[in-house]
PDB file of all heavy atoms in Angstrom:
ATOM      1  N   ALA A1303      -2.968  58.828 -20.096  1.00  0.00           N
ATOM      2  CA  ALA A1303      -3.758  60.014 -19.774  1.00  0.00           C
ATOM      3  C   ALA A1303      -4.148  60.754 -21.041  1.00  0.00           C
ATOM      4  O   ALA A1303      -5.258  61.305 -21.141  1.00  0.00           O
ATOM      5  CB  ALA A1303      -2.974  60.933 -18.837  1.00  0.00           C
ATOM      6  N   GLY A1304      -3.249  60.765 -22.031  1.00  0.00           N
ATOM      7  CA  GLY A1304      -3.575  61.396 -23.303  1.00  0.00           C
ATOM      8  C   GLY A1304      -4.721  60.713 -24.018  1.00  0.00           C
ATOM      9  O   GLY A1304      -5.543  61.361 -24.669  1.00  0.00           O
ATOM     10  N   ALA A1305      -4.820  59.393 -23.882  1.00  0.00           N
ATOM     11  CA  ALA A1305      -5.937  58.657 -24.482  1.00  0.00           C
ATOM     12  C   ALA A1305      -7.237  58.947 -23.747  1.00  0.00           C
ATOM     13  O   ALA A1305      -8.299  59.081 -24.361  1.00  0.00           O
ATOM     14  CB  ALA A1305      -5.640  57.159 -24.460  1.00  0.00           C
ATOM     15  N   THR A1306      -7.175  59.038 -22.421  1.00  0.00           N
ATOM     16  CA  THR A1306      -8.365  59.407 -21.657  1.00  0.00           C
ATOM     17  C   THR A1306      -8.820  60.805 -22.048  1.00  0.00           C
ATOM     18  O   THR A1306     -10.027  61.079 -22.146  1.00  0.00           O
ATOM     19  CB  THR A1306      -8.075  59.320 -20.154  1.00  0.00           C
ATOM     20  OG1 THR A1306      -7.747  57.963 -19.820  1.00  0.00           O
ATOM     21  CG2 THR A1306      -9.274  59.749 -19.331  1.00  0.00           C
ATOM     22  N   LEU A1307      -7.875  61.705 -22.290  1.00  0.00           N
ATOM     23  CA  LEU A1307      -8.228  63.040 -22.751  1.00  0.00           C
ATOM     24  C   LEU A1307      -8.853  63.008 -24.137  1.00  0.00           C
ATOM     25  O   LEU A1307      -9.794  63.765 -24.416  1.00  0.00           O
ATOM     26  CB  LEU A1307      -6.991  63.935 -22.733  1.00  0.00           C
ATOM     27  CG  LEU A1307      -6.542  64.358 -21.334  1.00  0.00           C
ATOM     28  CD1 LEU A1307      -5.125  64.917 -21.366  1.00  0.00           C
ATOM     29  CD2 LEU A1307      -7.499  65.388 -20.751  1.00  0.00           C
ATOM     30  N   VAL A1308      -8.367  62.136 -25.021  1.00  0.00           N
ATOM     31  CA  VAL A1308      -9.015  61.981 -26.323  1.00  0.00           C
ATOM     32  C   VAL A1308     -10.461  61.529 -26.134  1.00  0.00           C
ATOM     33  O   VAL A1308     -11.373  62.020 -26.811  1.00  0.00           O
ATOM     34  CB  VAL A1308      -8.234  60.994 -27.210  1.00  0.00           C
ATOM     35  CG1 VAL A1308      -9.024  60.658 -28.472  1.00  0.00           C
ATOM     36  CG2 VAL A1308      -6.878  61.579 -27.587  1.00  0.00           C
ATOM     37  N   SER A1309     -10.695  60.617 -25.179  1.00  0.00           N
ATOM     38  CA  SER A1309     -12.077  60.211 -24.879  1.00  0.00           C
ATOM     39  C   SER A1309     -12.900  61.417 -24.445  1.00  0.00           C
ATOM     40  O   SER A1309     -14.068  61.557 -24.831  1.00  0.00           O
ATOM     41  CB  SER A1309     -12.079  59.162 -23.759  1.00  0.00           C
ATOM     42  OG  SER A1309     -11.330  58.023 -24.111  1.00  0.00           O
ATOM     43  N   GLY A1310     -12.288  62.286 -23.622  1.00  0.00           N
ATOM     44  CA  GLY A1310     -12.983  63.487 -23.197  1.00  0.00           C
ATOM     45  C   GLY A1310     -13.271  64.432 -24.341  1.00  0.00           C
ATOM     46  O   GLY A1310     -14.344  65.057 -24.395  1.00  0.00           O
ATOM     47  N   VAL A1311     -12.329  64.557 -25.282  1.00  0.00           N
ATOM     48  CA  VAL A1311     -12.564  65.413 -26.440  1.00  0.00           C
ATOM     49  C   VAL A1311     -13.700  64.859 -27.296  1.00  0.00           C
ATOM     50  O   VAL A1311     -14.521  65.615 -27.834  1.00  0.00           O
ATOM     51  CB  VAL A1311     -11.272  65.575 -27.262  1.00  0.00           C
ATOM     52  CG1 VAL A1311     -11.543  66.359 -28.546  1.00  0.00           C
ATOM     53  CG2 VAL A1311     -10.199  66.285 -26.443  1.00  0.00           C
ATOM     54  N   LEU A1312     -13.769  63.528 -27.417  1.00  0.00           N
ATOM     55  CA  LEU A1312     -14.886  62.920 -28.146  1.00  0.00           C
ATOM     56  C   LEU A1312     -16.229  63.373 -27.586  1.00  0.00           C
ATOM     57  O   LEU A1312     -17.197  63.549 -28.334  1.00  0.00           O
ATOM     58  CB  LEU A1312     -14.804  61.391 -28.065  1.00  0.00           C
ATOM     59  CG  LEU A1312     -13.834  60.667 -28.973  1.00  0.00           C
ATOM     60  CD1 LEU A1312     -13.718  59.202 -28.564  1.00  0.00           C
ATOM     61  CD2 LEU A1312     -14.256  60.769 -30.430  1.00  0.00           C
ATOM     62  N   ALA A1313     -16.284  63.565 -26.273  1.00  0.00           N
ATOM     63  CA  ALA A1313     -17.530  63.927 -25.596  1.00  0.00           C
ATOM     64  C   ALA A1313     -17.742  65.427 -25.492  1.00  0.00           C
ATOM     65  O   ALA A1313     -18.735  65.869 -24.907  1.00  0.00           O
ATOM     66  CB  ALA A1313     -17.547  63.307 -24.196  1.00  0.00           C
ATOM     67  N   THR A1314     -16.822  66.227 -26.049  1.00  0.00           N
ATOM     68  CA  THR A1314     -16.889  67.681 -25.913  1.00  0.00           C
ATOM     69  C   THR A1314     -17.535  68.307 -27.144  1.00  0.00           C
ATOM     70  O   THR A1314     -16.966  68.249 -28.242  1.00  0.00           O
ATOM     71  CB  THR A1314     -15.463  68.262 -25.733  1.00  0.00           C
ATOM     72  OG1 THR A1314     -14.865  67.682 -24.568  1.00  0.00           O
ATOM     73  CG2 THR A1314     -15.500  69.771 -25.598  1.00  0.00           C
ATOM     74  N   PRO A1315     -18.709  68.932 -26.993  1.00  0.00           N
ATOM     75  CA  PRO A1315     -19.382  69.508 -28.170  1.00  0.00           C
ATOM     76  C   PRO A1315     -18.532  70.544 -28.907  1.00  0.00           C
ATOM     77  O   PRO A1315     -18.590  70.631 -30.134  1.00  0.00           O
ATOM     78  CB  PRO A1315     -20.638  70.148 -27.561  1.00  0.00           C
ATOM     79  CG  PRO A1315     -20.890  69.381 -26.304  1.00  0.00           C
ATOM     80  CD  PRO A1315     -19.528  69.029 -25.773  1.00  0.00           C
ATOM     81  N   ASP A1316     -17.713  71.318 -28.177  1.00  0.00           N
ATOM     82  CA  ASP A1316     -16.925  72.380 -28.824  1.00  0.00           C
ATOM     83  C   ASP A1316     -15.863  71.835 -29.772  1.00  0.00           C
ATOM     84  O   ASP A1316     -15.293  72.602 -30.555  1.00  0.00           O
ATOM     85  CB  ASP A1316     -16.237  73.249 -27.763  1.00  0.00           C
ATOM     86  CG  ASP A1316     -17.222  74.129 -27.004  1.00  0.00           C
ATOM     87  OD1 ASP A1316     -18.373  74.230 -27.459  1.00  0.00           O
ATOM     88  OD2 ASP A1316     -16.835  74.699 -25.972  1.00  0.00           O
ATOM     89  N   SER A1317     -15.587  70.535 -29.698  1.00  0.00           N
ATOM     90  CA  SER A1317     -14.571  69.956 -30.579  1.00  0.00           C
ATOM     91  C   SER A1317     -15.150  69.465 -31.902  1.00  0.00           C
ATOM     92  O   SER A1317     -14.392  69.049 -32.789  1.00  0.00           O
ATOM     93  CB  SER A1317     -13.881  68.791 -29.879  1.00  0.00           C
ATOM     94  OG  SER A1317     -14.766  67.681 -29.734  1.00  0.00           O
ATOM     95  N   SER A1318     -16.442  69.520 -32.056  1.00  0.00           N
ATOM     96  CA  SER A1318     -17.075  68.986 -33.268  1.00  0.00           C
ATOM     97  C   SER A1318     -16.535  69.686 -34.513  1.00  0.00           C
ATOM     98  O   SER A1318     -16.452  70.911 -34.582  1.00  0.00           O
ATOM     99  CB  SER A1318     -18.595  69.182 -33.185  1.00  0.00           C
ATOM    100  OG  SER A1318     -19.226  68.701 -34.347  1.00  0.00           O
ATOM    101  N   GLY A1319     -16.137  68.880 -35.490  1.00  0.00           N
ATOM    102  CA  GLY A1319     -15.618  69.400 -36.743  1.00  0.00           C
ATOM    103  C   GLY A1319     -14.133  69.678 -36.745  1.00  0.00           C
ATOM    104  O   GLY A1319     -13.561  69.950 -37.804  1.00  0.00           O
ATOM    105  N   LEU A1320     -13.486  69.616 -35.572  1.00  0.00           N
ATOM    106  CA  LEU A1320     -12.056  69.908 -35.492  1.00  0.00           C
ATOM    107  C   LEU A1320     -11.196  68.663 -35.721  1.00  0.00           C
ATOM    108  O   LEU A1320      -9.998  68.783 -35.925  1.00  0.00           O
ATOM    109  CB  LEU A1320     -11.713  70.532 -34.139  1.00  0.00           C
ATOM    110  CG  LEU A1320     -12.359  71.882 -33.837  1.00  0.00           C
ATOM    111  CD1 LEU A1320     -11.927  72.373 -32.459  1.00  0.00           C
ATOM    112  CD2 LEU A1320     -12.009  72.913 -34.911  1.00  0.00           C
ATOM    113  N   PHE A1321     -11.795  67.478 -35.642  1.00  0.00           N
ATOM    114  CA  PHE A1321     -11.077  66.242 -35.954  1.00  0.00           C
ATOM    115  C   PHE A1321     -12.074  65.259 -36.548  1.00  0.00           C
ATOM    116  O   PHE A1321     -13.282  65.383 -36.355  1.00  0.00           O
ATOM    117  CB  PHE A1321     -10.379  65.668 -34.720  1.00  0.00           C
ATOM    118  CG  PHE A1321     -11.320  65.176 -33.646  1.00  0.00           C
ATOM    119  CD1 PHE A1321     -11.538  63.818 -33.474  1.00  0.00           C
ATOM    120  CD2 PHE A1321     -11.968  66.064 -32.819  1.00  0.00           C
ATOM    121  CE1 PHE A1321     -12.402  63.367 -32.491  1.00  0.00           C
ATOM    122  CE2 PHE A1321     -12.833  65.620 -31.833  1.00  0.00           C
ATOM    123  CZ  PHE A1321     -13.057  64.272 -31.665  1.00  0.00           C
ATOM    124  N   HIS A1322     -11.555  64.264 -37.255  1.00  0.00           N
ATOM    125  CA  HIS A1322     -12.425  63.414 -38.077  1.00  0.00           C
ATOM    126  C   HIS A1322     -12.232  61.932 -37.825  1.00  0.00           C
ATOM    127  O   HIS A1322     -12.981  61.104 -38.337  1.00  0.00           O
ATOM    128  CB  HIS A1322     -12.172  63.747 -39.555  1.00  0.00           C
ATOM    129  CG  HIS A1322     -12.196  65.229 -39.808  1.00  0.00           C
ATOM    130  ND1 HIS A1322     -11.064  66.007 -39.729  1.00  0.00           N
ATOM    131  CD2 HIS A1322     -13.229  66.071 -40.047  1.00  0.00           C
ATOM    132  CE1 HIS A1322     -11.392  67.276 -39.948  1.00  0.00           C
ATOM    133  NE2 HIS A1322     -12.690  67.342 -40.146  1.00  0.00           N
ATOM    134  N   ARG A1323     -11.227  61.565 -37.028  1.00  0.00           N
ATOM    135  CA  ARG A1323     -11.014  60.210 -36.548  1.00  0.00           C
ATOM    136  C   ARG A1323     -10.321  60.314 -35.202  1.00  0.00           C
ATOM    137  O   ARG A1323      -9.732  61.345 -34.865  1.00  0.00           O
ATOM    138  CB  ARG A1323     -10.144  59.396 -37.508  1.00  0.00           C
ATOM    139  CG  ARG A1323     -10.379  59.671 -38.991  1.00  0.00           C
ATOM    140  CD  ARG A1323      -9.641  58.680 -39.861  1.00  0.00           C
ATOM    141  NE  ARG A1323      -9.382  59.199 -41.194  1.00  0.00           N
ATOM    142  CZ  ARG A1323     -10.299  59.390 -42.129  1.00  0.00           C
ATOM    143  NH1 ARG A1323     -11.559  59.116 -41.870  1.00  0.00           N
ATOM    144  NH2 ARG A1323      -9.978  59.858 -43.323  1.00  0.00           N
ATOM    145  N   ALA A1324     -10.378  59.231 -34.428  1.00  0.00           N
ATOM    146  CA  ALA A1324      -9.742  59.246 -33.107  1.00  0.00           C
ATOM    147  C   ALA A1324      -9.120  57.888 -32.811  1.00  0.00           C
ATOM    148  O   ALA A1324      -9.643  56.851 -33.233  1.00  0.00           O
ATOM    149  CB  ALA A1324     -10.757  59.606 -32.019  1.00  0.00           C
ATOM    150  N   ILE A1325      -8.002  57.918 -32.087  1.00  0.00           N
ATOM    151  CA  ILE A1325      -7.324  56.699 -31.641  1.00  0.00           C
ATOM    152  C   ILE A1325      -7.091  56.817 -30.145  1.00  0.00           C
ATOM    153  O   ILE A1325      -6.536  57.824 -29.669  1.00  0.00           O
ATOM    154  CB  ILE A1325      -5.977  56.481 -32.358  1.00  0.00           C
ATOM    155  CG1 ILE A1325      -6.163  56.459 -33.880  1.00  0.00           C
ATOM    156  CG2 ILE A1325      -5.328  55.180 -31.881  1.00  0.00           C
ATOM    157  CD1 ILE A1325      -4.866  56.370 -34.662  1.00  0.00           C
ATOM    158  N   VAL A1326      -7.520  55.798 -29.399  1.00  0.00           N
ATOM    159  CA  VAL A1326      -7.398  55.774 -27.941  1.00  0.00           C
ATOM    160  C   VAL A1326      -6.511  54.587 -27.569  1.00  0.00           C
ATOM    161  O   VAL A1326      -6.926  53.438 -27.649  1.00  0.00           O
ATOM    162  CB  VAL A1326      -8.790  55.663 -27.281  1.00  0.00           C
ATOM    163  CG1 VAL A1326      -8.675  55.494 -25.776  1.00  0.00           C
ATOM    164  CG2 VAL A1326      -9.632  56.896 -27.607  1.00  0.00           C
TER     165      VAL A1326
END
């Protein structure tokens, strides 16, 4: 579920600039 949430954060405009790589 945490990985699915990371996928959701990838798609969230408000998260732009708050992280620079992602692992799912």
